[in-house]
Amino acid sequence: MTVSAVTKTEGPALVKLTDVSKYYGNIRALQGVSLEVSAGEITCVLGDNGAGKSTLIKIIAGLHRHDAGSFEIEGEETVLANPRAALDRGIATVYQDLAVVPLMPVWRNFFLGSEPTKGRGPFRRLDVELMRRTTRAELLRMGIDLRDVDQPIGTLSGGERQCVAIARAVHFGAKVLVLDEPTAALGVKQSGVVLKYVAAARDAGLGVVLITHNPHHAHLVGDRFVLLKRGTMAGSHTRDSITLDELTRQMAGGSELDELSHELERVAESGPDTAAGTPAGPQATTTSDRDDTTR
């Protein structure tokens, strides 16, 4: 069963950050970062290690409070007290470790922390059949056809576990889905599977924040691109305004990459001896030559 696309609705963004900054003592983790997440769109946040992606995730997820700037949810300026407050406002975050229990079955992980029950008093118990049935139906609604929802989730591939986490967020009413490097540890085929379900979440009407360091994956599904470098914004683009080649160039360093290329060309032209700081040519004198002259 496929997920039908929805029409993007006009109105305030689901999440909007304007000139947000975060400091840890004298350490600047983020400064002046802005992004916008709308329903039915994927906003990709790209950056190398140490660019500030993790700090940005924690602010959106309610783990950390921002120190400056504004954080709006559906047009209302907000300061999230904790992750539960973020969930209550419809923001679900899927981290790289996925927060699953490998030995528990898929259906139990799907409802982990939100298990429905039946019966009263001492006869109250988990509604296992409802959880199994709902898990199977929700996965199929996202186009995920698992062999058996009773199998331990640890037996699934990395891509399948990511897809279960996405379907779980959709089922529990998330409006904004934040994905932390969902394809970082996956091969080409599994990455493609995950990106397919990321697009399915967008088509279901969610606003998606995709954190990644891979511009190829970002450009495949992204509608907006925010580039971070050392805690500051290095660029903000829409899909129509930037090509994959330019996105890759900016992600790789842009002008810094050009300078490195020119430096490598100079090294190649001058030769390895000059590049190492040792004079080249017949006038060069070794230590042993000077010793022989002294003797």
Side-chain angles (χ1 to χ4, degrees):
M1 182 176 179
T2 58
V3 181
S4 59
V6 299
T7 303
K8 297 176 185 178
T9 58
E10 297 295 332
L14 295 176
V15 167
K16 184 177 181 180
L17 276 66
T18 307
D19 293 330
V20 164
S21 299
K22 178 65 182 177
Y23 303 93
Y24 299 101
N26 294 326
I27 305 299
R28 181 196 68 188
L30 283 180
Q31 184 168 350
V33 173
S34 301
L35 68 80
E36 189 172 313
V37 185
S38 299
E41 288 188 351
I42 297 176
T43 299
C44 298
V45 179
L46 300 100
D48 212 338
N49 294 333
K53 303 191 301 294
S54 295
T55 302
L56 184 63
I57 289 176
K58 291 172 182 176
I59 291 174
I60 298 175
L63 277 167
H64 291 171
R65 297 188 182 189
H66 55 288
D67 295 320
S70 66
F71 180 9
E72 298 177 14
I73 298 178
E74 296 184 278
E76 177 187 348
E77 189 160 351
T78 306
V79 176
L80 297 174
N82 50 52
R84 173 53 62 181
L87 284 171
D88 292 342
R89 298 296 300 271
I91 300 174
T93 303
V94 179
Y95 295 97
Q96 288 187 54
D97 57 11
L98 300 178
V100 297
V101 182
L103 296 180
M104 283 187 176
V106 173
W107 61 264
R108 187 65 188 272
N109 276 280
F110 192 91
F111 282 92
L112 195 62
S114 303
E115 295 87 347
T117 59
K118 60 182 179 179
R120 295 183 178 180
F123 301 102
R124 188 178 182 184
R125 61 197 183 278
L126 294 178
D127 194 340
V128 175
E129 287 307 314
L130 174 63
M131 287 191 279
R132 282 176 175 154
R133 186 169 62 250
T134 302
T135 299
R136 188 176 291 109
E138 288 299 313
L139 292 177
L140 281 173
R141 190 170 74 87
M142 290 290 292
I144 306 168
D145 188 10
L146 283 185
R147 297 176 294 276
D148 182 11
V149 295
D150 284 302
Q151 69 187 102
I153 199 168
T155 63
L156 302 182
S157 68
E160 289 173 325
R161 290 197 297 271
Q162 285 282 356
C163 297
V164 170
I166 292 170
R168 178 175 64 186
V170 173
H171 171 71
F172 283 103
K175 297 179 182 179
V176 176
L177 180 61
V178 183
L179 300 171
D180 179 20
E181 301 273 8
T183 61
L186 304 180
V188 175
K189 185 176 181 180
Q190 287 293 320
S191 295
V193 171
V194 172
L195 291 175
K196 172 185 173 183
Y197 295 121
V198 171
R202 172 194 60 196
D203 294 342
L206 277 71
V208 181
V209 181
L210 177 63
I211 310 295
T212 182
H213 62 269
N214 190 318
H216 293 81
H217 292 170
H219 203 267
L220 275 173
V221 296
D223 299 293
R224 301 172 187 265
F225 308 99
V226 174
L227 288 90
L228 298 182
K229 179 181 178 183
R230 298 176 186 173
T232 61
M233 288 187 65
S236 180
H237 310 277
T238 61
R239 183 180 181 84
D240 296 335
S241 66
I242 191 168
T243 64
L244 173 58
D245 289 343
E246 180 60 22
L247 184 64
T248 303
R249 179 180 176 278
Q250 291 193 23
M251 174 70 186
S255 59
E256 293 182 2
L257 198 64
D258 292 338
E259 291 177 7
L260 176 60
S261 177
H262 294 153
E263 180 64 25
L264 291 175
E265 288 176 3
R266 287 196 297 269
V267 169
E269 291 172 358
S270 59
D273 291 337
T274 303
T278 304
Q283 295 180 353
T285 305
T286 64
T287 303
S288 59
D289 291 337
R290 289 194 298 270
D291 290 343
D292 290 341
T293 303
T294 304
R295 294 192 190 101

